[in-house]
Amino acid sequence: MKAIKEKHPITMRWTHWVNFPILTIMIWSGMLIYWANDEYHITLFGYTLIKFFPAWFYNLFVFKHRLAEGMAYHFLFMWFFTINGVLYLLYTIISGEWRYLLPNRKSFKEAWLVLLHDLHIRKGLPPQNRYNAAQRIAYTAIIIMGFGSVITGLAIYKPVQFYWLTWLCGGYHFARIIHFALTIGYVFFFLIHIIQVILAGWNNFRSVITGFEVVDKPELAAVITDKEVDNNHTDKV
């Protein structure tokens, strides 16, 4: 027998889905800007192993000669990105959702078990509430990355007006390197996140849209609800 279980609040779902197109536009417009000065590469003993990015990449995605357009989109949507992030952060603090998001002392050990399960090396999963240990670490990391992107972005955007912020970031060039590295991190997060969603199945994806998931009734009875967790014992973070 099936039953419906509440999982994700509407504010969490709203900010999640709003952030997806905003971050996509930010990455796209950032590439238009980066084209004008694509100086980063990885070298070893004087040999270039990876260059960000080869000419065919710019030609394929039509990134070339669109610097002004990229700056216009990037500097506009950075405000939407920041506002959405602030709303998400405030909600998690005020509502107490941070208890389910922040890693605790067991998260790093349990995240390894989650990885082994996803690779079909281990059958059982460690105990889970709303998010498993790997999700706690990943979602907390993405919040920190978002904060880092805003800080380094402002340092690059207005290096004179925010000279103190640029100084805190290690200077203009180092702030740009951090900003670029965070962007690469978002791309990897997107790819891993999509793969995880596919592996988790339709029921999990549907819960991020509707806020509810369908579970077997015996399973529902055996699982301690999030409210019971709050009443009985608070996670130690």
Side-chain angles (χ1 to χ4, degrees), residues 4-228:
I4 297 177
K5 176 187 174 185
E6 185 177 359
K7 190 171 184 180
H8 299 294
I10 186 171
T11 306
M12 302 289 282
R13 288 179 280 128
W14 175 260
T15 52
H16 173 274
W17 288 111
V18 167
N19 202 48
F20 179 76
I22 291 176
L23 194 53
T24 301
I25 293 173
M26 290 295 289
I27 294 173
W28 165 76
S29 59
M31 285 302 307
L32 296 180
I33 298 171
Y34 179 74
W35 163 82
N37 186 22
D38 59 342
E39 60 179 345
Y40 299 140
H41 53 272
I42 298 175
T43 60
L44 182 64
F45 302 117
Y47 293 96
T48 300
L49 300 179
I50 300 176
K51 185 183 187 306
F52 303 100
F53 294 88
W56 64 262
F57 181 85
Y58 294 113
N59 293 328
L60 178 64
F61 293 102
V62 198
F63 285 146
K64 298 176 67 175
H65 308 292
R66 300 171 68 185
L67 175 60
E69 180 184 358
M71 293 176 67
Y73 276 103
H74 208 69
F75 298 150
L76 171 63
F77 278 87
M78 73 175 185
W79 298 113
F80 296 122
F81 176 77
T82 303
I83 292 170
N84 190 59
V86 170
L87 291 176
Y88 174 82
L89 194 59
L90 287 176
Y91 175 77
T92 58
I93 295 172
I94 296 172
S95 66
E97 288 288 322
W98 62 270
R99 296 187 182 93
Y100 311 122
L101 281 169
L102 287 180
N104 55 37
R105 56 189 176 85
K106 297 180 180 179
S107 293
F108 291 94
K109 178 182 177 181
E110 292 179 354
W112 175 250
L113 300 178
V114 173
L115 176 61
L116 293 178
H117 176 268
D118 290 343
L119 294 174
H120 301 287
I121 297 174
R122 189 177 187 272
K123 291 185 178 181
L125 273 173
Q128 301 183 74
N129 290 322
R130 186 168 300 173
Y131 304 103
N132 62 43
Q135 289 172 322
R136 282 174 174 252
I137 294 171
Y139 297 157
T140 300
I142 207 69
I143 293 173
I144 296 173
M145 289 170 63
F147 180 77
S149 291
V150 172
I151 295 300
T152 55
L154 287 174
I156 300 170
Y157 178 44
K158 298 288 185 178
V160 176
Q161 292 85 341
F162 294 107
Y163 66 92
W164 55 273
L165 196 60
T166 306
W167 177 80
L168 288 174
C169 292
Y172 179 87
H173 292 292
F174 192 66
R176 188 171 184 249
I177 290 173
I178 297 174
H179 200 73
F180 179 81
L182 288 171
T183 303
I184 298 299
Y186 290 132
V187 174
F188 279 113
F189 178 84
F190 269 154
L191 295 175
I192 295 173
H193 191 53
I194 292 171
I195 292 172
Q196 290 284 51
V197 168
I198 294 173
L199 292 175
W202 168 249
N203 193 36
N204 182 72
F205 179 74
R206 178 173 51 194
S207 69
V208 184
I209 298 175
T210 65
F212 299 90
E213 64 177 346
V214 179
V215 298
D216 294 325
K217 199 167 184 179
E219 178 187 345
L220 183 66
V223 174
I224 301 176
T225 64
D226 293 324
K227 290 183 180 179
E228 288 172 335

